Structure formats: C-alpha cells, structure tokens
Amino acid sequence: MHINAAEQQRGHVLLIAGDVAVRRRTVQLAPSANLAALAMVPAAVLLDSQIPSDTVCLDGARDPNTVLTRLRAAAATPGPLLLYLSGRLTVDRRSRQLHLALAGTTPGTVRYTSLPWQWLATELRGRPAGLTTVLLDLAADKEAWPLLQEYGHLPASPWAEVYGVVCPPAFATTGSAVSSYTRHWIDQLRHSPGRPANVNLHALAVGAAALPPGTLVLPSAHELGTRPAAQQQQQQEQYQQQGPSRGQQPEHPRPHPPEPAVPPAPAASPAPAPSPASDPAAQDPRPHLHALATGGRHHEAAALAQAWEQHVLQTYGYASSEATQWAEIRADLARMAGDFHLATRLWIGVGQARLSRQGPGDPEVHAAAAGALHCWTQLKDQATAIDAGPELIRFLRVLPSLDPRHLHLTEQRLEALRTAHSPRALHP
C-alpha cells in the first residue's frame, strides 16, 4: 500500500504473539521468536510507507482485554496498519467459536484467557479500504482443526488484506526457531531490490517455506479470484517492474490442500508463460504454472516446469539448491495432477538432496518426508505402492527425530500390500 505523507499522519505496526503450539512436549510454533524477528524489520518496510509509524509488540499477554485494548488503539490509527498474529488457534468448546490462545490458555479456560477470533473483524470494521494488512502465522490445535476443515477457510476481516498460513496439529516441528513462513516473508523484504506487493511476498514465502501437507493457505483461490481485476493487474505490474532478487531463481508457490497459494483469476486464461530461454530473471513463472495446474492443464504445467528445471540444472548444477527447489515444484505439480507415484519419487529425491546438505533434523527435510509419505499413502495401485515403498522406508529410517509411528505404519502397510499381492494370496 502506498500512502501519501501529506494525507495520512501516522501508521502503526502491531505484532501479537499468542500461545506456543506444542505437540508431545515439542514446540511446533514459537510465536515469541517470530515476533522478535519481525520486530527487527523497519516499520517503513513492513508498511511500504515512509510516514512516521509506531510499532507495538505484545508478547506473553494473558488477558484478552489487554490485547483488545491494543487492537482497538491500532485500528484507530489514521494511516496504514499492519497487524501480525502468530500462535495457536483453539476453540471454545461451549460456543464452538475460534480463539487465539494466549499465554496460559488451557482447554478449560478458553472463554476467559484467549482472544475471540471474531473480535478482529469487529475492531477492523471501520478501517478505510486499502490501509489494513493482516499477516497470520498460526497453528491449529486438535480442537480447532476440524472446525477449519468444516469452514474450508479461516474467517477473516473483509476490510483488510489477509495473508498467512494455518498449519495442522501434527506437523514437523520447527523447534524454538522462527517459523519458515515468517522467516521467508522477512527474507524477501530484506533481499528484494524493490519491495514486492504483499500478494507477491505471500506467494514467495509460501513457495519457499516447505509447509506441511494440508496447511491452510490464506487467501483462498476464491478470495483471490474475486478481487478487483485492476488491483490484481496493478500488483502484478509492480512486481514485474521490480523483478526477483539478484541470483535468486524463481520458486513455485507450493500449494497445500485444501487451499492453493497463488490461484489465477477464474474468468481469464493464463497469460503466455515466461520462457527460461529468454531471460529467466525477467519474470516469475510460478503464477502461470499454478494457473495451468489449477485450471486442469497439468501436461502444460509439467512441460513448462521441466523446461525451467533443465535451465536451472544447466546453470547451477544437479546438486544445487535451485535444482532441489524445482524438484519440489514438480512434486507439487504431480500431486495436483493426481500422479502420486511420480510425486512420491520426487519428494523422496528432494528429501535425500536436502538431507545431504541440511542434516536429518532440518524441518525442510522432514517436510519432504511428510510430502513423500502423504503421496505414497494416496497410491491405489498395489504394485506401484510396493515399488515405491522400500525407497521411502530407507529414507524415513535415516531421520532419527521423525515420529517413529510414521516409519512403523509405513512398514506395516508395505508388508500388508506385499502379502495381499503375493501369488499365494491371489491364488489360494
């Protein structure tokens, strides 16, 4: 958002950390670490505005009224507003309403110690159009996740641009470090030669974050598709003029069910694809790739991705991180096309490549393992599943911090498939 300093006197950045997301005594999402990292970015960069601005960090709050007071003061600012929320989504069991858990929130105290999600929309309702951005990096607990799946999205304020991710309850841990989505959002702000539009920042962060399978990505395809065409065109033109950062190969915004990351406008066909043979850094092929895939044109998407992958391989080499990123792109495209065998093979290759560079405990290695395991479980053909199973098991066995149940269940399923597929089982 671009603000004229003569028209608006002050902007505001409000960063709120809710409760940590913990599974089996292991931290999955550390909101305090996210806040500390985001607070290091100048407010002028976060807001894309040079007017005077205030930054408030609210970490460790236990009283929802304290949070409400800060939220209300932020909403009253006359200039641009960025509201960042990170933490655990939970549900009030009595009212079945979503809440942002605060420090100390327990299942029995949700009504009194957490922030009702509907308060956000209520407080932002009076904000002028185009001045409010809400950025979310959340994890849903086991109570909230079924409700989000029922909704198919996270209800948010129609008076704001809303971007973010909500991870499912059981996902590869990031420990106490900055979560991948927030970290990549910050990296793009720091390294891009010109500040990309928020929608492009979101797409780049989602594409690089190696999110767990099933992650809810906001906004949804429908929400992006219903935005005014002029707004979408303006954002795209702005980013194309700025271009990606030097030396960085474009990455596909990896979609995770049920919401794709960067969908096309539903009423229009995708624009001609940028060609890697011309100038690979001139345009970002990811929106076009995803537009083809979500439009059902899977063969075209796969062919274009392979062309870009070959260019990257020739430019950076087979062992480069850029090559691994494009293998991830192809894995997601294969999953979207329903080619789970290819997707499984590609995810295993990605995991092995990252394992050699990043170590067995790296979240991106575990994300690749989760992607491979998810796609392998979708294989309906017994012979195909049996063919891919041993390599998957060998990969899982070298990840000591992986939940041991994943390996055990994979071994059990492979053994069951082999038994059912044996000649004796077929011809008793």
PDB file of all heavy atoms in Angstrom, residues 157-187:
ATOM      1  N   SER A 157     -11.317 -10.613   8.328  1.00  0.00           N
ATOM      2  CA  SER A 157     -11.983  -9.336   8.116  1.00  0.00           C
ATOM      3  C   SER A 157     -12.053  -8.979   6.636  1.00  0.00           C
ATOM      4  O   SER A 157     -11.027  -8.983   5.946  1.00  0.00           O
ATOM      5  CB  SER A 157     -11.237  -8.230   8.867  1.00  0.00           C
ATOM      6  OG  SER A 157     -11.762  -6.959   8.523  1.00  0.00           O
ATOM      7  N   PRO A 158     -13.250  -8.650   6.125  1.00  0.00           N
ATOM      8  CA  PRO A 158     -13.347  -8.210   4.724  1.00  0.00           C
ATOM      9  C   PRO A 158     -12.816  -6.801   4.520  1.00  0.00           C
ATOM     10  O   PRO A 158     -12.705  -6.350   3.386  1.00  0.00           O
ATOM     11  CB  PRO A 158     -14.858  -8.271   4.459  1.00  0.00           C
ATOM     12  CG  PRO A 158     -15.490  -8.072   5.794  1.00  0.00           C
ATOM     13  CD  PRO A 158     -14.561  -8.717   6.792  1.00  0.00           C
ATOM     14  N   TRP A 159     -12.457  -6.123   5.595  1.00  0.00           N
ATOM     15  CA  TRP A 159     -11.947  -4.763   5.487  1.00  0.00           C
ATOM     16  C   TRP A 159     -10.419  -4.723   5.438  1.00  0.00           C
ATOM     17  O   TRP A 159      -9.826  -3.661   5.522  1.00  0.00           O
ATOM     18  CB  TRP A 159     -12.445  -3.914   6.667  1.00  0.00           C
ATOM     19  CG  TRP A 159     -13.924  -3.707   6.650  1.00  0.00           C
ATOM     20  CD1 TRP A 159     -14.622  -2.723   5.998  1.00  0.00           C
ATOM     21  CD2 TRP A 159     -14.897  -4.536   7.280  1.00  0.00           C
ATOM     22  NE1 TRP A 159     -15.971  -2.886   6.189  1.00  0.00           N
ATOM     23  CE2 TRP A 159     -16.179  -3.986   6.980  1.00  0.00           C
ATOM     24  CE3 TRP A 159     -14.838  -5.674   8.063  1.00  0.00           C
ATOM     25  CZ2 TRP A 159     -17.357  -4.555   7.443  1.00  0.00           C
ATOM     26  CZ3 TRP A 159     -16.023  -6.238   8.530  1.00  0.00           C
ATOM     27  CH2 TRP A 159     -17.257  -5.676   8.223  1.00  0.00           C
ATOM     28  N   ALA A 160      -9.785  -5.866   5.312  1.00  0.00           N
ATOM     29  CA  ALA A 160      -8.329  -5.915   5.313  1.00  0.00           C
ATOM     30  C   ALA A 160      -7.826  -6.902   4.270  1.00  0.00           C
ATOM     31  O   ALA A 160      -8.542  -7.813   3.861  1.00  0.00           O
ATOM     32  CB  ALA A 160      -7.815  -6.326   6.697  1.00  0.00           C
ATOM     33  N   GLU A 161      -6.582  -6.689   3.822  1.00  0.00           N
ATOM     34  CA  GLU A 161      -5.875  -7.714   3.055  1.00  0.00           C
ATOM     35  C   GLU A 161      -5.341  -8.726   4.059  1.00  0.00           C
ATOM     36  O   GLU A 161      -4.617  -8.364   4.986  1.00  0.00           O
ATOM     37  CB  GLU A 161      -4.704  -7.096   2.281  1.00  0.00           C
ATOM     38  CG  GLU A 161      -5.089  -6.231   1.105  1.00  0.00           C
ATOM     39  CD  GLU A 161      -3.847  -5.768   0.338  1.00  0.00           C
ATOM     40  OE1 GLU A 161      -2.842  -6.505   0.359  1.00  0.00           O
ATOM     41  OE2 GLU A 161      -3.898  -4.683  -0.239  1.00  0.00           O
ATOM     42  N   VAL A 162      -5.698  -9.991   3.888  1.00  0.00           N
ATOM     43  CA  VAL A 162      -5.310 -11.022   4.845  1.00  0.00           C
ATOM     44  C   VAL A 162      -4.430 -12.050   4.140  1.00  0.00           C
ATOM     45  O   VAL A 162      -4.818 -12.614   3.114  1.00  0.00           O
ATOM     46  CB  VAL A 162      -6.541 -11.716   5.459  1.00  0.00           C
ATOM     47  CG1 VAL A 162      -6.113 -12.772   6.474  1.00  0.00           C
ATOM     48  CG2 VAL A 162      -7.456 -10.690   6.118  1.00  0.00           C
ATOM     49  N   TYR A 163      -3.241 -12.278   4.687  1.00  0.00           N
ATOM     50  CA  TYR A 163      -2.311 -13.267   4.152  1.00  0.00           C
ATOM     51  C   TYR A 163      -1.785 -14.116   5.304  1.00  0.00           C
ATOM     52  O   TYR A 163      -1.605 -13.618   6.422  1.00  0.00           O
ATOM     53  CB  TYR A 163      -1.127 -12.587   3.450  1.00  0.00           C
ATOM     54  CG  TYR A 163      -1.524 -11.649   2.348  1.00  0.00           C
ATOM     55  CD1 TYR A 163      -1.568 -10.275   2.559  1.00  0.00           C
ATOM     56  CD2 TYR A 163      -1.875 -12.134   1.094  1.00  0.00           C
ATOM     57  CE1 TYR A 163      -1.937  -9.402   1.548  1.00  0.00           C
ATOM     58  CE2 TYR A 163      -2.251 -11.271   0.074  1.00  0.00           C
ATOM     59  CZ  TYR A 163      -2.283  -9.907   0.308  1.00  0.00           C
ATOM     60  OH  TYR A 163      -2.664  -9.052  -0.703  1.00  0.00           O
ATOM     61  N   GLY A 164      -1.519 -15.382   5.003  1.00  0.00           N
ATOM     62  CA  GLY A 164      -0.931 -16.196   6.044  1.00  0.00           C
ATOM     63  C   GLY A 164      -1.148 -17.673   5.845  1.00  0.00           C
ATOM     64  O   GLY A 164      -1.650 -18.125   4.800  1.00  0.00           O
ATOM     65  N   VAL A 165      -0.754 -18.430   6.861  1.00  0.00           N
ATOM     66  CA  VAL A 165      -0.880 -19.882   6.838  1.00  0.00           C
ATOM     67  C   VAL A 165      -1.367 -20.357   8.197  1.00  0.00           C
ATOM     68  O   VAL A 165      -1.089 -19.740   9.230  1.00  0.00           O
ATOM     69  CB  VAL A 165       0.465 -20.566   6.498  1.00  0.00           C
ATOM     70  CG1 VAL A 165       0.897 -20.250   5.074  1.00  0.00           C
ATOM     71  CG2 VAL A 165       1.563 -20.166   7.484  1.00  0.00           C
ATOM     72  N   VAL A 166      -2.100 -21.492   8.175  1.00  0.00           N
ATOM     73  CA  VAL A 166      -2.507 -22.173   9.404  1.00  0.00           C
ATOM     74  C   VAL A 166      -2.083 -23.633   9.253  1.00  0.00           C
ATOM     75  O   VAL A 166      -2.620 -24.350   8.397  1.00  0.00           O
ATOM     76  CB  VAL A 166      -4.024 -22.082   9.648  1.00  0.00           C
ATOM     77  CG1 VAL A 166      -4.366 -22.718  10.997  1.00  0.00           C
ATOM     78  CG2 VAL A 166      -4.501 -20.636   9.603  1.00  0.00           C
ATOM     79  N   CYS A 167      -1.132 -24.062  10.066  1.00  0.00           N
ATOM     80  CA  CYS A 167      -0.635 -25.435   9.981  1.00  0.00           C
ATOM     81  C   CYS A 167      -1.539 -26.378  10.770  1.00  0.00           C
ATOM     82  O   CYS A 167      -2.131 -25.991  11.775  1.00  0.00           O
ATOM     83  CB  CYS A 167       0.789 -25.507  10.530  1.00  0.00           C
ATOM     84  SG  CYS A 167       2.001 -24.641   9.516  1.00  0.00           S
ATOM     85  N   PRO A 168      -1.626 -27.633  10.334  1.00  0.00           N
ATOM     86  CA  PRO A 168      -2.434 -28.622  11.053  1.00  0.00           C
ATOM     87  C   PRO A 168      -1.776 -29.018  12.371  1.00  0.00           C
ATOM     88  O   PRO A 168      -0.616 -28.686  12.613  1.00  0.00           O
ATOM     89  CB  PRO A 168      -2.496 -29.799  10.073  1.00  0.00           C
ATOM     90  CG  PRO A 168      -1.277 -29.647   9.237  1.00  0.00           C
ATOM     91  CD  PRO A 168      -1.020 -28.183   9.112  1.00  0.00           C
ATOM     92  N   PRO A 169      -2.503 -29.737  13.232  1.00  0.00           N
ATOM     93  CA  PRO A 169      -1.972 -30.060  14.560  1.00  0.00           C
ATOM     94  C   PRO A 169      -0.705 -30.910  14.538  1.00  0.00           C
ATOM     95  O   PRO A 169       0.195 -30.699  15.334  1.00  0.00           O
ATOM     96  CB  PRO A 169      -3.126 -30.818  15.229  1.00  0.00           C
ATOM     97  CG  PRO A 169      -4.331 -30.448  14.468  1.00  0.00           C
ATOM     98  CD  PRO A 169      -3.890 -30.185  13.066  1.00  0.00           C
ATOM     99  N   ALA A 170      -0.623 -31.894  13.659  1.00  0.00           N
ATOM    100  CA  ALA A 170       0.531 -32.799  13.635  1.00  0.00           C
ATOM    101  C   ALA A 170       1.416 -32.472  12.451  1.00  0.00           C
ATOM    102  O   ALA A 170       1.136 -32.874  11.326  1.00  0.00           O
ATOM    103  CB  ALA A 170       0.057 -34.244  13.565  1.00  0.00           C
ATOM    104  N   PHE A 171       2.463 -31.686  12.681  1.00  0.00           N
ATOM    105  CA  PHE A 171       3.355 -31.342  11.580  1.00  0.00           C
ATOM    106  C   PHE A 171       4.790 -31.329  12.097  1.00  0.00           C
ATOM    107  O   PHE A 171       5.036 -31.291  13.304  1.00  0.00           O
ATOM    108  CB  PHE A 171       3.001 -29.993  10.966  1.00  0.00           C
ATOM    109  CG  PHE A 171       3.126 -28.816  11.904  1.00  0.00           C
ATOM    110  CD1 PHE A 171       4.274 -28.040  11.931  1.00  0.00           C
ATOM    111  CD2 PHE A 171       2.076 -28.472  12.746  1.00  0.00           C
ATOM    112  CE1 PHE A 171       4.379 -26.959  12.793  1.00  0.00           C
ATOM    113  CE2 PHE A 171       2.172 -27.384  13.603  1.00  0.00           C
ATOM    114  CZ  PHE A 171       3.328 -26.632  13.628  1.00  0.00           C
ATOM    115  N   ALA A 172       5.738 -31.381  11.178  1.00  0.00           N
ATOM    116  CA  ALA A 172       7.152 -31.433  11.546  1.00  0.00           C
ATOM    117  C   ALA A 172       7.522 -30.202  12.358  1.00  0.00           C
ATOM    118  O   ALA A 172       7.210 -29.073  11.990  1.00  0.00           O
ATOM    119  CB  ALA A 172       8.022 -31.517  10.292  1.00  0.00           C
ATOM    120  N   THR A 173       8.202 -30.401  13.431  1.00  0.00           N
ATOM    121  CA  THR A 173       8.495 -29.306  14.341  1.00  0.00           C
ATOM    122  C   THR A 173       9.542 -28.360  13.779  1.00  0.00           C
ATOM    123  O   THR A 173      10.439 -28.769  13.046  1.00  0.00           O
ATOM    124  CB  THR A 173       8.998 -29.847  15.688  1.00  0.00           C
ATOM    125  OG1 THR A 173       9.315 -28.750  16.553  1.00  0.00           O
ATOM    126  CG2 THR A 173      10.247 -30.692  15.513  1.00  0.00           C
ATOM    127  N   THR A 174       9.417 -27.085  14.131  1.00  0.00           N
ATOM    128  CA  THR A 174      10.439 -26.086  13.817  1.00  0.00           C
ATOM    129  C   THR A 174      11.217 -25.710  15.076  1.00  0.00           C
ATOM    130  O   THR A 174      12.016 -24.803  15.055  1.00  0.00           O
ATOM    131  CB  THR A 174       9.799 -24.816  13.235  1.00  0.00           C
ATOM    132  OG1 THR A 174       8.886 -24.265  14.199  1.00  0.00           O
ATOM    133  CG2 THR A 174       9.068 -25.125  11.958  1.00  0.00           C
ATOM    134  N   GLY A 175      10.947 -26.390  16.187  1.00  0.00           N
ATOM    135  CA  GLY A 175      11.622 -26.076  17.436  1.00  0.00           C
ATOM    136  C   GLY A 175      11.273 -24.681  17.915  1.00  0.00           C
ATOM    137  O   GLY A 175      10.161 -24.209  17.739  1.00  0.00           O
ATOM    138  N   SER A 176      12.254 -24.029  18.531  1.00  0.00           N
ATOM    139  CA  SER A 176      12.019 -22.678  19.055  1.00  0.00           C
ATOM    140  C   SER A 176      12.456 -21.603  18.076  1.00  0.00           C
ATOM    141  O   SER A 176      12.520 -20.434  18.430  1.00  0.00           O
ATOM    142  CB  SER A 176      12.785 -22.506  20.377  1.00  0.00           C
ATOM    143  OG  SER A 176      14.175 -22.723  20.165  1.00  0.00           O
ATOM    144  N   ALA A 177      12.779 -21.987  16.839  1.00  0.00           N
ATOM    145  CA  ALA A 177      13.259 -21.029  15.854  1.00  0.00           C
ATOM    146  C   ALA A 177      12.097 -20.307  15.188  1.00  0.00           C
ATOM    147  O   ALA A 177      10.933 -20.651  15.373  1.00  0.00           O
ATOM    148  CB  ALA A 177      14.108 -21.747  14.807  1.00  0.00           C
ATOM    149  N   VAL A 178      12.446 -19.286  14.393  1.00  0.00           N
ATOM    150  CA  VAL A 178      11.442 -18.557  13.624  1.00  0.00           C
ATOM    151  C   VAL A 178      10.800 -19.516  12.624  1.00  0.00           C
ATOM    152  O   VAL A 178      11.493 -20.283  11.949  1.00  0.00           O
ATOM    153  CB  VAL A 178      12.096 -17.375  12.885  1.00  0.00           C
ATOM    154  CG1 VAL A 178      11.068 -16.622  12.050  1.00  0.00           C
ATOM    155  CG2 VAL A 178      12.760 -16.441  13.884  1.00  0.00           C
ATOM    156  N   SER A 179       9.491 -19.491  12.534  1.00  0.00           N
ATOM    157  CA  SER A 179       8.802 -20.407  11.634  1.00  0.00           C
ATOM    158  C   SER A 179       9.138 -20.073  10.185  1.00  0.00           C
ATOM    159  O   SER A 179       9.483 -18.942   9.842  1.00  0.00           O
ATOM    160  CB  SER A 179       7.288 -20.341  11.853  1.00  0.00           C
ATOM    161  OG  SER A 179       6.795 -19.068  11.525  1.00  0.00           O
ATOM    162  N   SER A 180       9.018 -21.088   9.341  1.00  0.00           N
ATOM    163  CA  SER A 180       9.507 -20.968   7.963  1.00  0.00           C
ATOM    164  C   SER A 180       8.766 -19.888   7.181  1.00  0.00           C
ATOM    165  O   SER A 180       9.377 -19.123   6.433  1.00  0.00           O
ATOM    166  CB  SER A 180       9.379 -22.323   7.256  1.00  0.00           C
ATOM    167  OG  SER A 180       9.983 -22.286   5.997  1.00  0.00           O
ATOM    168  N   TYR A 181       7.444 -19.799   7.339  1.00  0.00           N
ATOM    169  CA  TYR A 181       6.671 -18.815   6.574  1.00  0.00           C
ATOM    170  C   TYR A 181       7.096 -17.396   6.936  1.00  0.00           C
ATOM    171  O   TYR A 181       7.378 -16.564   6.056  1.00  0.00           O
ATOM    172  CB  TYR A 181       5.176 -19.015   6.824  1.00  0.00           C
ATOM    173  CG  TYR A 181       4.297 -17.974   6.168  1.00  0.00           C
ATOM    174  CD1 TYR A 181       4.036 -18.011   4.802  1.00  0.00           C
ATOM    175  CD2 TYR A 181       3.719 -16.955   6.914  1.00  0.00           C
ATOM    176  CE1 TYR A 181       3.238 -17.056   4.193  1.00  0.00           C
ATOM    177  CE2 TYR A 181       2.913 -16.002   6.321  1.00  0.00           C
ATOM    178  CZ  TYR A 181       2.672 -16.053   4.964  1.00  0.00           C
ATOM    179  OH  TYR A 181       1.868 -15.102   4.366  1.00  0.00           O
ATOM    180  N   THR A 182       7.156 -17.091   8.226  1.00  0.00           N
ATOM    181  CA  THR A 182       7.550 -15.750   8.658  1.00  0.00           C
ATOM    182  C   THR A 182       8.988 -15.451   8.255  1.00  0.00           C
ATOM    183  O   THR A 182       9.303 -14.338   7.806  1.00  0.00           O
ATOM    184  CB  THR A 182       7.394 -15.616  10.182  1.00  0.00           C
ATOM    185  OG1 THR A 182       6.004 -15.699  10.520  1.00  0.00           O
ATOM    186  CG2 THR A 182       7.942 -14.294  10.684  1.00  0.00           C
ATOM    187  N   ARG A 183       9.870 -16.444   8.384  1.00  0.00           N
ATOM    188  CA  ARG A 183      11.276 -16.238   8.032  1.00  0.00           C
ATOM    189  C   ARG A 183      11.430 -15.880   6.555  1.00  0.00           C
ATOM    190  O   ARG A 183      12.188 -14.971   6.206  1.00  0.00           O
ATOM    191  CB  ARG A 183      12.076 -17.500   8.362  1.00  0.00           C
ATOM    192  CG  ARG A 183      13.532 -17.459   7.907  1.00  0.00           C
ATOM    193  CD  ARG A 183      14.334 -18.563   8.578  1.00  0.00           C
ATOM    194  NE  ARG A 183      13.709 -19.867   8.403  1.00  0.00           N
ATOM    195  CZ  ARG A 183      13.889 -20.658   7.361  1.00  0.00           C
ATOM    196  NH1 ARG A 183      14.668 -20.253   6.357  1.00  0.00           N
ATOM    197  NH2 ARG A 183      13.314 -21.842   7.289  1.00  0.00           N
ATOM    198  N   HIS A 184      10.682 -16.578   5.685  1.00  0.00           N
ATOM    199  CA  HIS A 184      10.817 -16.292   4.257  1.00  0.00           C
ATOM    200  C   HIS A 184      10.148 -14.967   3.886  1.00  0.00           C
ATOM    201  O   HIS A 184      10.589 -14.295   2.939  1.00  0.00           O
ATOM    202  CB  HIS A 184      10.247 -17.442   3.438  1.00  0.00           C
ATOM    203  CG  HIS A 184      11.149 -18.633   3.397  1.00  0.00           C
ATOM    204  ND1 HIS A 184      12.343 -18.636   2.716  1.00  0.00           N
ATOM    205  CD2 HIS A 184      11.056 -19.856   3.978  1.00  0.00           C
ATOM    206  CE1 HIS A 184      12.941 -19.802   2.860  1.00  0.00           C
ATOM    207  NE2 HIS A 184      12.196 -20.559   3.621  1.00  0.00           N
ATOM    208  N   TRP A 185       9.103 -14.583   4.586  1.00  0.00           N
ATOM    209  CA  TRP A 185       8.495 -13.258   4.371  1.00  0.00           C
ATOM    210  C   TRP A 185       9.549 -12.179   4.668  1.00  0.00           C
ATOM    211  O   TRP A 185       9.740 -11.236   3.897  1.00  0.00           O
ATOM    212  CB  TRP A 185       7.261 -13.103   5.258  1.00  0.00           C
ATOM    213  CG  TRP A 185       6.489 -11.838   5.051  1.00  0.00           C
ATOM    214  CD1 TRP A 185       6.853 -10.598   5.448  1.00  0.00           C
ATOM    215  CD2 TRP A 185       5.230 -11.681   4.382  1.00  0.00           C
ATOM    216  NE1 TRP A 185       5.895  -9.670   5.083  1.00  0.00           N
ATOM    217  CE2 TRP A 185       4.901 -10.304   4.436  1.00  0.00           C
ATOM    218  CE3 TRP A 185       4.350 -12.560   3.768  1.00  0.00           C
ATOM    219  CZ2 TRP A 185       3.719  -9.811   3.884  1.00  0.00           C
ATOM    220  CZ3 TRP A 185       3.177 -12.053   3.222  1.00  0.00           C
ATOM    221  CH2 TRP A 185       2.867 -10.698   3.276  1.00  0.00           C
ATOM    222  N   ILE A 186      10.237 -12.340   5.799  1.00  0.00           N
ATOM    223  CA  ILE A 186      11.270 -11.374   6.183  1.00  0.00           C
ATOM    224  C   ILE A 186      12.418 -11.378   5.179  1.00  0.00           C
ATOM    225  O   ILE A 186      12.929 -10.323   4.786  1.00  0.00           O
ATOM    226  CB  ILE A 186      11.783 -11.690   7.602  1.00  0.00           C
ATOM    227  CG1 ILE A 186      10.663 -11.470   8.630  1.00  0.00           C
ATOM    228  CG2 ILE A 186      12.993 -10.829   7.949  1.00  0.00           C
ATOM    229  CD1 ILE A 186      11.007 -11.959  10.021  1.00  0.00           C
ATOM    230  N   ASP A 187      12.838 -12.560   4.763  1.00  0.00           N
ATOM    231  CA  ASP A 187      13.943 -12.657   3.795  1.00  0.00           C
ATOM    232  C   ASP A 187      13.617 -11.917   2.503  1.00  0.00           C
ATOM    233  O   ASP A 187      14.471 -11.237   1.930  1.00  0.00           O
ATOM    234  CB  ASP A 187      14.246 -14.123   3.481  1.00  0.00           C
ATOM    235  CG  ASP A 187      14.945 -14.825   4.632  1.00  0.00           C
ATOM    236  OD1 ASP A 187      15.428 -14.121   5.555  1.00  0.00           O
ATOM    237  OD2 ASP A 187      14.989 -16.072   4.632  1.00  0.00           O
TER     238      ASP A 187
END
